[in-house]
Amino acid sequence: MRRKIARVFGVTLLLLSFLFLWGSKEIPVKAADIAENEKAEYEAETEYEETEAGDVRAYMEEKLEFDDINRELEGLFPDEKLDFGETVLQILSGDLSVSADLLKRLCADQLTYAFQVNRESLIHMLLIALIAAIFTKFADVFDSRQISDISFYILYMLMIALCLNAFQSAAEWTEDGIRLLADFMQALCPVYFLAVSLAKGSVTAAAFYNLILLLIFLIELLIIGFLLPVIHIYMMMKVLNYLSEEEYLSRFTELIETVVSWTLKTMLACVIGLNTIQGLIMPAVDSVKRSAVARGVEAIPGIGDAVSGTAEVILGTAVVVKNGVGAAGAVICFALCLAPLIQIGVMVLFYKLAAALVQPVADKRLTGCIGGMADGCQLLMRMIFTAGILFLITIAIVAATTSSV
């Protein structure tokens, strides 16, 4: 009995030793195979990404022309040497360093310029307010009150001249920024909506293209042609309101501010509504037309499936390119809006600071004049912001409603 147990134990031990030796030889081979498979998968993935990027570049070079946009960018950013096609490829590859560097340099340059421009005006306003405060506090020294009043009005007229001069500069920045934005959109639209036509269909592209042209017309007509002169009138009424101690024009300035605010909000609501309606109807029409064609091609014996698969790949590439063009356009629109917003924003902060500093010592009319200047510049900022938002919302809705293959 003991011999049988010993014999079974020996056979079992021999089998376990054999299995252990066989497994130890096979493990390195399997580990090497796994490493080789992972390397092959990585190389295949890299090769696929390079092939996909090459396909996108070839598609862009074949179907789209960026010459007009590049000429427009040379005028907008003469020091940057931007190439719109390369910007689109970088965005599609996930490299946002160029766009981030552009925005950083633009912010730094505009901040420096705004500080240099507004620094002297701020100093002059503080000096005028200080001198006016001295005349007001020592009015009893003069035999006649008229001398003190005349001195104050002379200084107040100087303050009005400074405010209106600064406001004119801000209004010119606003007009230039909005016009540059409209010019860029006019250059972007043919390329972008050609990409939309290739990716989704001609009905959608034509509808949104007409909507963008209408939007550019409304911006030039309402914002530049109507609201900008109205804000000039608002600024004149604001500074003249503080000539006397009684505020005779405050209600009129509130009326103008309400008209400007309601006009901008109405434009924004109308454009969003039109974009939403277009996005619900037109892409569906193109989808029906494309589905009918695809079903007909698939019904062809022998080659139907191959043609359908190739068409899906081409349409997928078209959608990727269309979204890349839209994203690059949105980045440049944001940069064009950012420049005047920074300039006027710094001006608003400076005049708010000046009003806060002179309020404890100066006459309330001087403080109101400086504060009114800041209020007028805030209306200009709202105009630029609304114009930029109108274009950005349109691009976003077009991209969202035409992304399905």
Side-chain angles (χ1 to χ4, degrees), residues 289-320:
K289 293 169 61 178
R290 181 166 292 173
S291 297
V293 174
R295 295 294 182 270
V297 172
E298 289 177 356
I300 300 175
I303 63 171
D305 293 337
V307 172
S308 177
T310 305
E312 288 183 2
V313 173
I314 294 173
L315 290 176
T317 304
V319 170
V320 170

Short mmCIF file of all heavy atoms in Angstrom, two decimals, residues 289-320:
data_model
loop_
_atom_site.label_atom_id
_atom_site.label_comp_id
_atom_site.label_asym_id
_atom_site.label_seq_id
_atom_site.Cartn_x
_atom_site.Cartn_y
_atom_site.Cartn_z
N LYS A 289 -33.40 63.76 -49.65
CA LYS A 289 -32.87 63.65 -51.01
C LYS A 289 -31.68 62.70 -51.05
O LYS A 289 -31.57 61.84 -51.95
CB LYS A 289 -32.46 65.02 -51.53
CG LYS A 289 -33.62 65.97 -51.74
CD LYS A 289 -33.16 67.39 -51.99
CE LYS A 289 -32.30 67.49 -53.21
NZ LYS A 289 -31.88 68.90 -53.47
N ARG A 290 -30.79 62.81 -50.08
CA ARG A 290 -29.60 61.97 -50.07
C ARG A 290 -29.96 60.51 -49.78
O ARG A 290 -29.36 59.58 -50.33
CB ARG A 290 -28.61 62.48 -49.03
CG ARG A 290 -27.31 61.70 -48.96
CD ARG A 290 -26.29 62.46 -48.18
NE ARG A 290 -25.86 63.66 -48.89
CZ ARG A 290 -25.07 64.59 -48.37
NH1 ARG A 290 -24.63 64.46 -47.14
NH2 ARG A 290 -24.73 65.64 -49.08
N SER A 291 -30.95 60.29 -48.93
CA SER A 291 -31.36 58.92 -48.63
C SER A 291 -31.95 58.24 -49.86
O SER A 291 -31.70 57.05 -50.12
CB SER A 291 -32.40 58.91 -47.50
OG SER A 291 -31.83 59.42 -46.31
N ALA A 292 -32.72 58.99 -50.65
CA ALA A 292 -33.29 58.41 -51.87
C ALA A 292 -32.20 58.01 -52.85
O ALA A 292 -32.25 56.92 -53.45
CB ALA A 292 -34.25 59.42 -52.51
N VAL A 293 -31.19 58.88 -53.00
CA VAL A 293 -30.09 58.56 -53.90
C VAL A 293 -29.31 57.35 -53.38
O VAL A 293 -28.92 56.45 -54.15
CB VAL A 293 -29.17 59.78 -54.07
CG1 VAL A 293 -27.93 59.42 -54.89
CG2 VAL A 293 -29.92 60.92 -54.74
N ALA A 294 -29.05 57.32 -52.06
CA ALA A 294 -28.28 56.21 -51.49
C ALA A 294 -29.02 54.88 -51.65
O ALA A 294 -28.41 53.85 -51.98
CB ALA A 294 -28.02 56.48 -50.01
N ARG A 295 -30.33 54.87 -51.45
CA ARG A 295 -31.08 53.62 -51.62
C ARG A 295 -31.04 53.16 -53.08
O ARG A 295 -30.96 51.96 -53.36
CB ARG A 295 -32.54 53.82 -51.17
CG ARG A 295 -32.70 54.12 -49.69
CD ARG A 295 -32.28 52.93 -48.84
NE ARG A 295 -32.47 53.20 -47.43
CZ ARG A 295 -31.56 53.75 -46.63
NH1 ARG A 295 -30.37 54.07 -47.13
NH2 ARG A 295 -31.82 53.95 -45.36
N GLY A 296 -31.10 54.10 -53.99
CA GLY A 296 -31.02 53.72 -55.39
C GLY A 296 -29.68 53.13 -55.77
O GLY A 296 -29.60 52.17 -56.53
N VAL A 297 -28.59 53.71 -55.22
CA VAL A 297 -27.25 53.19 -55.51
C VAL A 297 -27.07 51.82 -54.89
O VAL A 297 -26.48 50.91 -55.51
CB VAL A 297 -26.19 54.18 -55.01
CG1 VAL A 297 -24.80 53.57 -55.12
CG2 VAL A 297 -26.25 55.47 -55.81
N GLU A 298 -27.55 51.61 -53.68
CA GLU A 298 -27.40 50.32 -53.02
C GLU A 298 -28.15 49.21 -53.75
O GLU A 298 -27.80 48.03 -53.62
CB GLU A 298 -27.90 50.42 -51.57
CG GLU A 298 -27.00 51.24 -50.67
CD GLU A 298 -27.57 51.38 -49.27
OE1 GLU A 298 -28.71 50.88 -49.06
OE2 GLU A 298 -26.91 51.99 -48.40
N ALA A 299 -29.17 49.56 -54.51
CA ALA A 299 -29.94 48.56 -55.23
C ALA A 299 -29.24 48.04 -56.47
O ALA A 299 -29.68 47.05 -57.06
CB ALA A 299 -31.30 49.14 -55.61
N ILE A 300 -28.15 48.68 -56.88
CA ILE A 300 -27.42 48.22 -58.06
C ILE A 300 -26.72 46.91 -57.72
O ILE A 300 -25.94 46.85 -56.76
CB ILE A 300 -26.40 49.28 -58.51
CG1 ILE A 300 -27.12 50.59 -58.87
CG2 ILE A 300 -25.58 48.78 -59.70
CD1 ILE A 300 -26.17 51.72 -59.21
N PRO A 301 -26.93 45.86 -58.49
CA PRO A 301 -26.30 44.57 -58.15
C PRO A 301 -24.79 44.62 -58.33
O PRO A 301 -24.28 45.22 -59.28
CB PRO A 301 -26.94 43.60 -59.17
CG PRO A 301 -28.16 44.30 -59.68
CD PRO A 301 -27.87 45.76 -59.62
N GLY A 302 -24.09 44.04 -57.39
CA GLY A 302 -22.65 43.88 -57.52
C GLY A 302 -21.84 45.01 -56.93
O GLY A 302 -20.95 44.79 -56.10
N ILE A 303 -22.13 46.24 -57.33
CA ILE A 303 -21.30 47.38 -56.91
C ILE A 303 -22.02 48.31 -55.94
O ILE A 303 -21.46 49.30 -55.50
CB ILE A 303 -20.83 48.19 -58.13
CG1 ILE A 303 -22.05 48.78 -58.86
CG2 ILE A 303 -19.99 47.33 -59.06
CD1 ILE A 303 -21.65 49.76 -59.94
N GLY A 304 -23.27 48.01 -55.62
CA GLY A 304 -24.04 48.93 -54.78
C GLY A 304 -23.45 49.12 -53.40
O GLY A 304 -23.30 50.25 -52.92
N ASP A 305 -23.08 48.02 -52.75
CA ASP A 305 -22.52 48.12 -51.40
C ASP A 305 -21.18 48.84 -51.39
O ASP A 305 -20.90 49.65 -50.49
CB ASP A 305 -22.38 46.73 -50.80
CG ASP A 305 -23.72 46.06 -50.57
OD1 ASP A 305 -24.72 46.80 -50.44
OD2 ASP A 305 -23.77 44.82 -50.53
N ALA A 306 -20.34 48.55 -52.40
CA ALA A 306 -19.03 49.20 -52.45
C ALA A 306 -19.16 50.70 -52.67
O ALA A 306 -18.49 51.50 -52.02
CB ALA A 306 -18.19 48.58 -53.57
N VAL A 307 -20.05 51.10 -53.58
CA VAL A 307 -20.26 52.53 -53.83
C VAL A 307 -20.83 53.21 -52.60
O VAL A 307 -20.44 54.33 -52.25
CB VAL A 307 -21.18 52.72 -55.05
CG1 VAL A 307 -21.56 54.19 -55.22
CG2 VAL A 307 -20.51 52.20 -56.31
N SER A 308 -21.76 52.55 -51.91
CA SER A 308 -22.35 53.14 -50.71
C SER A 308 -21.31 53.33 -49.61
O SER A 308 -21.28 54.37 -48.94
CB SER A 308 -23.49 52.24 -50.21
OG SER A 308 -24.03 52.75 -49.02
N GLY A 309 -20.44 52.34 -49.42
CA GLY A 309 -19.38 52.47 -48.41
C GLY A 309 -18.41 53.58 -48.73
O GLY A 309 -18.00 54.36 -47.85
N THR A 310 -18.03 53.70 -49.99
CA THR A 310 -17.12 54.78 -50.40
C THR A 310 -17.77 56.14 -50.20
O THR A 310 -17.12 57.10 -49.75
CB THR A 310 -16.73 54.60 -51.88
OG1 THR A 310 -16.16 53.30 -52.06
CG2 THR A 310 -15.73 55.66 -52.30
N ALA A 311 -19.05 56.23 -50.52
CA ALA A 311 -19.76 57.51 -50.34
C ALA A 311 -19.81 57.90 -48.87
O ALA A 311 -19.68 59.09 -48.54
CB ALA A 311 -21.17 57.39 -50.92
N GLU A 312 -20.01 56.95 -47.97
CA GLU A 312 -20.03 57.27 -46.55
C GLU A 312 -18.69 57.80 -46.07
O GLU A 312 -18.63 58.73 -45.26
CB GLU A 312 -20.43 56.03 -45.75
CG GLU A 312 -21.89 55.64 -45.89
CD GLU A 312 -22.25 54.44 -45.03
OE1 GLU A 312 -21.34 53.96 -44.31
OE2 GLU A 312 -23.41 54.01 -45.08
N VAL A 313 -17.60 57.22 -46.56
CA VAL A 313 -16.27 57.71 -46.19
C VAL A 313 -16.06 59.14 -46.68
O VAL A 313 -15.57 60.02 -45.94
CB VAL A 313 -15.18 56.77 -46.74
CG1 VAL A 313 -13.79 57.36 -46.51
CG2 VAL A 313 -15.28 55.40 -46.10
N ILE A 314 -16.46 59.41 -47.92
CA ILE A 314 -16.30 60.76 -48.48
C ILE A 314 -17.14 61.77 -47.71
O ILE A 314 -16.69 62.88 -47.39
CB ILE A 314 -16.66 60.76 -49.97
CG1 ILE A 314 -15.66 59.89 -50.74
CG2 ILE A 314 -16.68 62.17 -50.54
CD1 ILE A 314 -16.02 59.70 -52.20
N LEU A 315 -18.38 61.39 -47.39
CA LEU A 315 -19.26 62.31 -46.65
C LEU A 315 -18.73 62.55 -45.24
O LEU A 315 -18.83 63.67 -44.72
CB LEU A 315 -20.67 61.73 -46.59
CG LEU A 315 -21.45 61.72 -47.91
CD1 LEU A 315 -22.79 61.03 -47.72
CD2 LEU A 315 -21.64 63.13 -48.44
N GLY A 316 -18.18 61.50 -44.61
CA GLY A 316 -17.57 61.70 -43.30
C GLY A 316 -16.41 62.68 -43.34
O GLY A 316 -16.27 63.55 -42.47
N THR A 317 -15.57 62.56 -44.37
CA THR A 317 -14.47 63.51 -44.54
C THR A 317 -14.99 64.93 -44.77
O THR A 317 -14.45 65.90 -44.23
CB THR A 317 -13.58 63.08 -45.71
OG1 THR A 317 -13.13 61.74 -45.50
CG2 THR A 317 -12.38 64.00 -45.85
N ALA A 318 -16.06 65.05 -45.56
CA ALA A 318 -16.65 66.37 -45.82
C ALA A 318 -17.18 67.02 -44.55
O ALA A 318 -17.01 68.23 -44.33
CB ALA A 318 -17.76 66.25 -46.86
N VAL A 319 -17.80 66.21 -43.68
CA VAL A 319 -18.32 66.74 -42.41
C VAL A 319 -17.17 67.21 -41.52
O VAL A 319 -17.25 68.27 -40.88
CB VAL A 319 -19.18 65.68 -41.70
CG1 VAL A 319 -19.52 66.12 -40.28
CG2 VAL A 319 -20.45 65.43 -42.47
N VAL A 320 -16.09 66.44 -41.47
CA VAL A 320 -14.93 66.82 -40.66
C VAL A 320 -14.35 68.14 -41.16
O VAL A 320 -14.05 69.05 -40.36
CB VAL A 320 -13.87 65.70 -40.69
CG1 VAL A 320 -12.57 66.18 -40.06
CG2 VAL A 320 -14.37 64.47 -39.96
#
